[in-house]
Amino acid sequence: TRTGDTLPSLVERPTQANAENAAVFVSIHINSVDNAPNANGTEVYYADSNNGNAYGTTSEKLATNILNRMLYYMGSTNRGVKTAEHAVTKRCEMPAALTEVGFITNPTEVYNMTTDEYQYGAPMAIQQSIVSCGFLFLQKLVNLFGESMIASYTVATRMENILMIPIIGIQNTMAAFAGQNMGARQPERVSKGLGQGVLVSLLMTAALCLCQLLGMELIIRAFKLDAAAAAICRQHLFAS
């Protein structure tokens, strides 16, 4: 809701999201509590009054997905998914969640939030959760076009997932490599490794795309698609 050092009101934030027809809304916060310096952990809220399924998912599912991924990447204490009628979530017209990364009143968590695990892990978790919701939105749209489109999309998606396995492997390797070298205060190695990683990914992508194009008819026959679905699938495989 902002690109500079500004402070939109709690009403202005969801109003902007609604005006821009946003698909999801995620509000990121740091928690605090008086007279409890040991309070710690990550929690995510959603509003019961805004938990519909109009976009193919719900605020509860979005909140659960975000929490699970944040716990995985940050290793923080699980305080759970909770409901509350926060102004920024209940006024949204799309799935909305409010994340509490950790407690600024806990000295250990203050330190944790300065580490690479938290500073890279929290945004990565939220990003991946939003991408997951995007797949649900897309599947709901595909279903509107009938059986042939669903069959074609399913085949194309499976092939994309299979072909992405080595690319994702490189991405995960580079993420660990970058984190380790940033922790060791050697950013120059990150820059060099990034260039090499991008080059390997491009070469591998080109080889995998060529294999998919050359084997397109074999793929269609393997999934036993009818003529209508096969025609759509050719377009999907070529475009992907």
Side-chain angles (χ1 to χ4, degrees), residues 58-78:
T58 64
S59 294
E60 181 180 9
K61 290 179 181 177
L62 173 64
T64 301
N65 202 342
I66 290 174
L67 179 64
N68 289 339
R69 291 177 186 269
M70 291 181 77
L71 296 176
Y72 174 79
Y73 283 111
M74 302 188 323
S76 54
T77 300
N78 183 0

Side-chain angles (χ1 to χ4, degrees), residues 191-218:
S191 299
K192 183 178 179 181
L194 177 61
Q196 295 173 342
V198 170
L199 178 60
V200 172
S201 294
L202 289 174
L203 293 173
M204 188 171 293
T205 299
L208 293 172
C209 287
L210 183 61
C211 291
Q212 177 167 288
L213 291 174
L214 294 177
M216 189 179 299
E217 295 305 319
L218 290 174

